[in-house]
Amino acid sequence: MTELGRKDNANKSDRPTSAYVAELVRILRRKHGYTQEGLGDLIGWTGSAISAVETHAQPVSDDMLVALEPAIGEGLGLFTVARPYINREKFPKRFRAFSVLEAEALSLSTYQNFVVDGLFQTRDYTCALIDGSYPVPPPKMRDEYVEARMARKALFDRDPTPMIELILEETVLRRPFGSWEILHGQLRSLLADSERHNVTVQVLPLDRGLTGTHAGERGPMKLVETKDHQRVVYTEIEDQGILVSDPPAVTELSHRYGKIRSQCMTPEDSRTLIEKLAGETR
């Protein structure tokens, strides 16, 4: 098999919904008698953009899916139905399975000790994180990651309303990425999110270890109550996503999370600290 063939097959297996939609675009475009340029003109894209989708060189964008529906969707809603599945494939592979659980969660409790949790990140903060990571993703993939992360914020206003809890190590609030201005903007955004009636934000103080106990030393975690009232835990380390569903293991991690929460500042004191740090000048 040629290198091109290997890459094409990899793209299809990595993003099966995108591959299916690509074939659907090609079939329906031909059925309607459009060239790639003709379909592009009709929906406001270039012929090369249509070609990139059909050849799997570039996944179809959400905006293009919206435009394709009235153009060649034949009133069946094929492209509308595909949108959440396509958007899910824009996440890193390690996160995709959990992204489904997060989007449908009844409750979400998160502890982070290095960066602000992705659900709460501002666009500038996310861009700074990705641009400074290693290896740096290609520009198109980087833009996909940013858009996918921003789309997660729909959870805040979903109906039914989920209960969302965030615990951050104090060091997270003091660690800049990109610039101090980006950090301060992130802290202001965090304050705004903490005012939502379904959101609680608490800080684990920097000097917690001086008391002799610090339950968060083993790293971040996310506890989820699923739509089926099951409990699972998700954690990441070095680009590996781990989803824990074994009840005894989930119970142990839930108890650890509860201990971390007991060692935090109150929500009110946490907000006061975040306000102070957001207003600091550098």
Side-chain angles (χ1 to χ4, degrees), residues 53-94:
V53 168
E54 292 185 5
T55 59
H56 312 282
Q58 177 67 26
V60 63
S61 70
D62 190 59
D63 288 342
M64 185 182 286
L65 285 171
V66 172
L68 285 168
E69 185 61 50
I72 59 173
E74 302 187 340
L76 298 175
L78 297 172
F79 297 106
T80 299
V81 169
R83 289 176 64 192
Y85 299 94
I86 293 288
N87 288 334
R88 193 174 301 149
E89 290 181 350
K90 295 176 181 178
F91 290 114
K93 289 181 67 176
R94 66 181 182 274

Side-chain angles (χ1 to χ4, degrees), residues 24 26 48 81 104 111 199 207 273:
L24 197 62
R26 179 179 59 81
S48 60
V81 169
E104 299 175 345
Y111 166 62
V199 175
D207 60 358
L273 175 62

